[in-house]
Amino acid sequence: MSALPQMMTRRGVVGGIAAAGAAVALTAGTPAAAAEPSPAGLVPTDPLLHLLRRATYGPSPASIAEIRRLGAAAWLDRQLNPAAIPDPVADGVVARLPLARLSIAEIRSRVSAGTLKQYSWDPMWQLGWAAIARAIWSERQLLEVMTDFWSNHLNVTCPQGDVWDSRIDYDTMIRQHALGTFAGLLKASARHPAMLTYLDNRFSGKDAPNENYGRELLELHTVGLAYTEADVKNAARLLTGLTVDNGTGKYRYDAARHATGAIRVLAFQHANATTAGGEAAALELLDYLAMHQATARRIVTKLCVRFVADEPPASLITTLIKVYLDNRTAIVPVLRALFTSAEFAASIGAKTRTPLEDLAATVRTLGYGPAATGTKFLESLYWMARDAGQAPLFWGPPNGYPDVAAAWASPSGLLVRWNFHLSIAAGWWPETLVRPANLLTGMVGALPATYGALIERTATRLLGVVPPAAQTAALAQFYGKTPASPLKVNDPAAGWMYPYLMGMLLNSPSFALR
């Protein structure tokens, strides 16, 4: 690129910043040392960094140091046992959001006491802010990624009016089962007031079975399109009686509302002879669906799309189906097999970050900490994610946010990301994130001797790979310099204009890759 426009604005990305962001195609990696780029020239081939980019919301200086100290196997073992991982920073931030941790009974108690309005969305807003905090600062990164995965797979929109008292508890349930068995998660979801309300099963009875949950249970949650309309009707009949107690807001089975009579769903058959046995019969159906071959394929394919590629290798799907079924729907063996597979190792550069992941990865790679007090910074980050199209848990339809690059490819979406890269890096918004007192030395240490050294060391710190010479020259020209130009301590590039270099590097295609 021979010339870069010089127009800039403190609150946005225009002119030179946008042009440079479009021009610079850098590689990504560790802030500790530059790594060799992949053959595609966008991301490093280091398998440790590859694992971090996929199994977390993005590498941070601390996580890179940790995985280099432990090695991939021990790091993965640790992440697959999140209860053993202390999480003081994220726990401390979430503690500032008391409504995001309330049970159904506690929310209703506050309503009765007059300290919370009935149908208030305040707890659900706080849950969204808590999701942002955990994605960025939790040490239990794989748990957070899997909680997000299952929240999408078994989507209940948040905030949403009808689940005002139960959506917080639904998130708690997802977390409890995120690394358990899919059968256990499916049965817990089917008996949770949030799901029963969201898909109308709480209103379903023997006289007028509601088919909404029965249909989504088959099409979205388990076997996919391998069902008939008769299967939907029979599933809906068998699920009658699984409802919500209007007095307590909790799940209950109402035998009087259960439709009896022989049931057939796919190859599952049940006499369903008594109302007293209706709940047990419904749970048998859920166990059957969880272990169905089509469900196994659906679940492992979605996991492969999340962690490997938008079009994952058939060989890996076949392998993981067997692992899933052999382990009776246990998730940890599937994840372990996925992350240690040859197909995963070969997938470097094959995934693109969603807007939420891009936002979280921005803060993580910068190494910024949460504000010392308050929650306004979380609200700001939440609105950034919303403006980019992916506020946590906010997807409206029951199918959850998409996880393929094509779904998020748009010029307007890219511009939103470029704006928040610069805004966060510069400390403009949120302005209370904890950053180095001296941004340049906090990022790269002592003042580099030349503009080229400044660019290369900053790229190494944020992305892990030194940019090609032509791109280094283009970035230097943004400041009206050449790579060989001496850098002086009072140069704008070493002071107020340094965040623009950080923003341009974060705008690079390599940073967009998961």
Side-chain angles (χ1 to χ4, degrees):
M1 189 170 187
S2 58
L4 293 173
Q6 299 295 306
M7 292 175 57
M8 296 179 289
T9 174
R10 188 173 187 273
R11 291 286 175 179
V13 181
V14 297
I17 298 300
V24 178
L26 302 175
T27 51
T30 169
E36 288 299 317
S38 70
L42 292 177
V43 289
T45 57
D46 188 329
L48 297 180
L49 300 182
H50 177 47
L51 180 58
L52 279 184
R53 292 176 78 92
R54 298 293 174 84
T56 76
Y57 276 94
S60 67
S63 68
I64 294 170
E66 179 189 52
I67 201 169
R68 295 215 183 281
R69 183 180 73 253
L70 296 177
W75 183 89
L76 183 58
D77 285 343
R78 187 169 186 264
Q79 288 293 314
L80 291 172
N81 184 25
I85 302 175
D87 206 13
V89 175
D91 287 347
V93 175
V94 173
R96 305 178 200 176
L97 304 166
L99 301 182
R101 297 173 286 123
L102 297 180
S103 67
I104 294 170
E106 288 169 332
I107 288 178
R108 286 178 162 250
S109 176
R110 293 197 179 203
V111 170
S112 297
T115 58
L116 187 68
K117 291 182 179 180
Q118 189 174 17
Y119 303 110
S120 171
W121 283 20
D122 289 348
M124 293 183 285
W125 287 125
Q126 288 198 9
L127 181 63
W129 305 338
I132 288 280
R134 288 171 169 139
I136 296 172
W137 290 292
S138 177
E139 296 295 322
R140 302 163 183 164
Q141 279 286 296
L142 185 52
L143 172 64
E144 294 309 316
V145 169
M146 288 305 299
T147 297
D148 177 72
F149 176 86
W150 292 123
S151 296
N152 269 295
H153 185 70
L154 300 170
N155 184 48
V156 174
T157 305
C158 176
Q160 197 249 6
D162 291 340
V163 296
W164 64 276
D165 60 343
S166 59
R167 186 58 181 82
I168 312 303
D169 191 76
Y170 187 74
D171 184 76
T172 300
M173 180 276 296
I174 293 281
R175 291 178 175 280
Q176 291 171 343
H177 291 273
L179 293 173
T181 67
F182 178 64
L185 174 60
L186 185 67
K187 288 183 288 187
S189 174
R191 290 177 292 173
H192 198 281
M195 179 60 75
L196 293 170
T197 300
Y198 179 66
L199 291 179
D200 301 316
N201 209 77
R202 70 180 294 175
F203 310 112
S204 184
K206 61 184 179 182
D207 296 328
N210 188 297
E211 297 178 7
N212 285 358
Y213 178 53
R215 184 177 302 278
E216 305 304 359
L217 171 67
L218 296 174
E219 182 171 331
L220 297 181
H221 301 170
T222 59
V223 297
L225 295 175
Y227 67 86
T228 67
E229 287 302 305
D231 292 326
V232 172
K233 294 180 183 298
N234 280 328
R237 288 180 57 228
L238 191 58
L239 293 165
T240 53
L242 276 64
T243 189
V244 180
D245 186 285
N246 289 328
T248 66
K250 296 181 180 180
Y251 165 79
R252 73 182 178 95
Y253 174 68
D254 186 350
R257 299 177 67 179
H258 180 70
T260 57
I263 293 291
R264 181 184 179 95
V265 178
L266 303 172
F268 174 83
Q269 298 184 63
H270 199 285
N272 188 33
T274 67
T275 57
E279 182 182 31
L283 294 178
E284 286 185 39
L285 172 63
L286 295 170
D287 277 326
Y288 163 81
L289 291 174
M291 279 293 292
H292 196 283
Q293 182 83 12
T295 300
R297 177 171 293 278
R298 181 169 181 77
I299 296 299
V300 304
T301 298
K302 290 188 75 170
L303 287 168
C304 288
V305 169
R306 173 60 183 82
F307 292 115
V308 182
D310 289 0
E311 296 183 6
S315 58
L316 182 58
I317 292 172
T318 299
T319 297
L320 296 184
I321 287 172
K322 186 177 187 304
V323 175
Y324 174 94
L325 295 174
D326 286 350
N327 288 277
R328 306 291 301 176
T329 82
I331 302 305
V332 167
V334 176
L335 292 176
R336 194 182 301 280
L338 187 157
F339 288 127
T340 57
S341 69
E343 292 91 342
F344 175 77
S347 70
I348 292 174
K351 284 296 298 182
T352 300
R353 285 173 172 146
T354 67
L356 174 60
E357 291 163 355
D358 193 303
L359 178 70
T362 297
V363 183
R364 286 179 61 78
T365 198
L366 291 168
Y368 291 177
T373 60
T375 62
K376 288 296 183 183
F377 70 103
L378 294 176
E379 297 177 46
S380 297
L381 291 168
Y382 181 93
W383 300 127
M384 286 180 173
R386 185 203 63 174
D387 290 347
Q390 198 185 11
L393 312 174
F394 197 53
W395 186 255
N399 61 341
Y401 280 113
D403 191 24
V404 294
W408 301 107
S410 72
S412 59
L414 186 62
L415 185 59
V416 170
R417 296 193 197 197
W418 287 0
N419 274 312
F420 70 57
H421 290 160
L422 178 59
S423 182
I424 293 170
W428 297 335
W429 183 49
E431 69 277 9
T432 56
L433 293 181
V434 176
R435 305 183 305 137
N438 183 300
L439 192 56
L440 187 146
T441 58
M443 288 291 123
V444 300
L447 183 74
T450 65
Y451 276 77
L454 173 69
I455 292 163
E456 292 176 358
R457 284 167 60 178
T458 304
T460 297
R461 166 60 180 82
L462 296 179
L463 304 175
V465 180
V466 173
Q471 293 172 356
T472 299
L475 288 165
Q477 191 175 358
F478 174 79
Y479 293 106
K481 304 290 184 178
T482 69
S485 299
L487 179 67
K488 301 175 183 178
V489 68
N490 59 347
D491 283 355
W496 71 271
M497 284 186 70
Y498 181 61
Y500 290 96
L501 174 61
M502 300 167 69
M504 288 185 287
L505 292 169
L506 294 173
N507 293 350
S508 65
S510 66
F511 186 75
L513 294 178
R514 180 192 295 164

PDB file of all heavy atoms in Angstrom, residues 258-269:
ATOM      1  N   HIS A 258     -51.435 -35.103  32.045  1.00  0.00           N
ATOM      2  CA  HIS A 258     -50.680 -35.984  31.150  1.00  0.00           C
ATOM      3  C   HIS A 258     -51.610 -36.801  30.259  1.00  0.00           C
ATOM      4  O   HIS A 258     -52.589 -37.405  30.729  1.00  0.00           O
ATOM      5  CB  HIS A 258     -49.791 -36.929  31.957  1.00  0.00           C
ATOM      6  CG  HIS A 258     -48.993 -37.853  31.091  1.00  0.00           C
ATOM      7  ND1 HIS A 258     -47.955 -37.415  30.310  1.00  0.00           N
ATOM      8  CD2 HIS A 258     -49.101 -39.193  30.863  1.00  0.00           C
ATOM      9  CE1 HIS A 258     -47.434 -38.438  29.649  1.00  0.00           C
ATOM     10  NE2 HIS A 258     -48.115 -39.536  29.972  1.00  0.00           N
ATOM     11  N   ALA A 259     -51.280 -36.865  28.969  1.00  0.00           N
ATOM     12  CA  ALA A 259     -52.058 -37.647  27.998  1.00  0.00           C
ATOM     13  C   ALA A 259     -51.526 -39.071  27.954  1.00  0.00           C
ATOM     14  O   ALA A 259     -50.355 -39.291  27.629  1.00  0.00           O
ATOM     15  CB  ALA A 259     -51.960 -37.001  26.609  1.00  0.00           C
ATOM     16  N   THR A 260     -52.343 -40.024  28.293  1.00  0.00           N
ATOM     17  CA  THR A 260     -51.928 -41.424  28.260  1.00  0.00           C
ATOM     18  C   THR A 260     -52.193 -42.031  26.886  1.00  0.00           C
ATOM     19  O   THR A 260     -52.823 -41.425  26.025  1.00  0.00           O
ATOM     20  CB  THR A 260     -52.666 -42.224  29.336  1.00  0.00           C
ATOM     21  OG1 THR A 260     -54.083 -42.087  29.130  1.00  0.00           O
ATOM     22  CG2 THR A 260     -52.312 -41.744  30.731  1.00  0.00           C
ATOM     23  N   GLY A 261     -51.716 -43.274  26.711  1.00  0.00           N
ATOM     24  CA  GLY A 261     -51.880 -43.984  25.447  1.00  0.00           C
ATOM     25  C   GLY A 261     -50.547 -44.289  24.806  1.00  0.00           C
ATOM     26  O   GLY A 261     -49.562 -43.578  25.036  1.00  0.00           O
ATOM     27  N   ALA A 262     -50.513 -45.351  24.022  1.00  0.00           N
ATOM     28  CA  ALA A 262     -49.264 -45.832  23.429  1.00  0.00           C
ATOM     29  C   ALA A 262     -48.590 -44.745  22.590  1.00  0.00           C
ATOM     30  O   ALA A 262     -49.253 -44.003  21.850  1.00  0.00           O
ATOM     31  CB  ALA A 262     -49.528 -47.059  22.580  1.00  0.00           C
ATOM     32  N   ILE A 263     -47.263 -44.687  22.717  1.00  0.00           N
ATOM     33  CA  ILE A 263     -46.459 -43.652  22.061  1.00  0.00           C
ATOM     34  C   ILE A 263     -45.375 -44.317  21.226  1.00  0.00           C
ATOM     35  O   ILE A 263     -44.745 -45.286  21.644  1.00  0.00           O
ATOM     36  CB  ILE A 263     -45.790 -42.741  23.111  1.00  0.00           C
ATOM     37  CG1 ILE A 263     -46.824 -41.912  23.868  1.00  0.00           C
ATOM     38  CG2 ILE A 263     -44.728 -41.838  22.479  1.00  0.00           C
ATOM     39  CD1 ILE A 263     -47.492 -40.862  23.024  1.00  0.00           C
ATOM     40  N   ARG A 264     -45.155 -43.735  20.040  1.00  0.00           N
ATOM     41  CA  ARG A 264     -44.012 -44.133  19.221  1.00  0.00           C
ATOM     42  C   ARG A 264     -43.362 -42.862  18.684  1.00  0.00           C
ATOM     43  O   ARG A 264     -44.017 -42.060  18.004  1.00  0.00           O
ATOM     44  CB  ARG A 264     -44.423 -45.042  18.070  1.00  0.00           C
ATOM     45  CG  ARG A 264     -43.216 -45.498  17.216  1.00  0.00           C
ATOM     46  CD  ARG A 264     -43.659 -46.319  16.014  1.00  0.00           C
ATOM     47  NE  ARG A 264     -42.505 -46.730  15.212  1.00  0.00           N
ATOM     48  CZ  ARG A 264     -41.878 -47.881  15.307  1.00  0.00           C
ATOM     49  NH1 ARG A 264     -42.312 -48.788  16.184  1.00  0.00           N
ATOM     50  NH2 ARG A 264     -40.836 -48.162  14.559  1.00  0.00           N
ATOM     51  N   VAL A 265     -42.070 -42.682  18.984  1.00  0.00           N
ATOM     52  CA  VAL A 265     -41.272 -41.578  18.464  1.00  0.00           C
ATOM     53  C   VAL A 265     -40.015 -42.182  17.873  1.00  0.00           C
ATOM     54  O   VAL A 265     -39.204 -42.771  18.602  1.00  0.00           O
ATOM     55  CB  VAL A 265     -40.912 -40.565  19.567  1.00  0.00           C
ATOM     56  CG1 VAL A 265     -40.035 -39.456  19.001  1.00  0.00           C
ATOM     57  CG2 VAL A 265     -42.160 -39.986  20.206  1.00  0.00           C
ATOM     58  N   LEU A 266     -39.873 -42.073  16.562  1.00  0.00           N
ATOM     59  CA  LEU A 266     -38.807 -42.772  15.854  1.00  0.00           C
ATOM     60  C   LEU A 266     -38.910 -44.255  16.202  1.00  0.00           C
ATOM     61  O   LEU A 266     -39.968 -44.849  15.990  1.00  0.00           O
ATOM     62  CB  LEU A 266     -37.452 -42.158  16.205  1.00  0.00           C
ATOM     63  CG  LEU A 266     -37.301 -40.647  15.922  1.00  0.00           C
ATOM     64  CD1 LEU A 266     -35.990 -40.115  16.480  1.00  0.00           C
ATOM     65  CD2 LEU A 266     -37.409 -40.358  14.443  1.00  0.00           C
ATOM     66  N   ALA A 267     -37.877 -44.869  16.766  1.00  0.00           N
ATOM     67  CA  ALA A 267     -37.956 -46.283  17.137  1.00  0.00           C
ATOM     68  C   ALA A 267     -38.313 -46.479  18.608  1.00  0.00           C
ATOM     69  O   ALA A 267     -38.367 -47.621  19.086  1.00  0.00           O
ATOM     70  CB  ALA A 267     -36.629 -46.980  16.840  1.00  0.00           C
ATOM     71  N   PHE A 268     -38.555 -45.387  19.323  1.00  0.00           N
ATOM     72  CA  PHE A 268     -38.912 -45.478  20.748  1.00  0.00           C
ATOM     73  C   PHE A 268     -40.393 -45.782  20.887  1.00  0.00           C
ATOM     74  O   PHE A 268     -41.238 -45.120  20.279  1.00  0.00           O
ATOM     75  CB  PHE A 268     -38.592 -44.154  21.444  1.00  0.00           C
ATOM     76  CG  PHE A 268     -39.038 -44.087  22.872  1.00  0.00           C
ATOM     77  CD1 PHE A 268     -38.260 -44.623  23.888  1.00  0.00           C
ATOM     78  CD2 PHE A 268     -40.244 -43.477  23.209  1.00  0.00           C
ATOM     79  CE1 PHE A 268     -38.665 -44.555  25.211  1.00  0.00           C
ATOM     80  CE2 PHE A 268     -40.655 -43.390  24.529  1.00  0.00           C
ATOM     81  CZ  PHE A 268     -39.863 -43.942  25.533  1.00  0.00           C
ATOM     82  N   GLN A 269     -40.705 -46.772  21.696  1.00  0.00           N
ATOM     83  CA  GLN A 269     -42.101 -47.132  21.957  1.00  0.00           C
ATOM     84  C   GLN A 269     -42.327 -47.229  23.457  1.00  0.00           C
ATOM     85  O   GLN A 269     -41.455 -47.697  24.204  1.00  0.00           O
ATOM     86  CB  GLN A 269     -42.457 -48.468  21.297  1.00  0.00           C
ATOM     87  CG  GLN A 269     -42.336 -48.453  19.774  1.00  0.00           C
ATOM     88  CD  GLN A 269     -42.775 -49.760  19.151  1.00  0.00           C
ATOM     89  OE1 GLN A 269     -43.939 -50.150  19.258  1.00  0.00           O
ATOM     90  NE2 GLN A 269     -41.839 -50.446  18.513  1.00  0.00           N
TER      91      GLN A 269
END
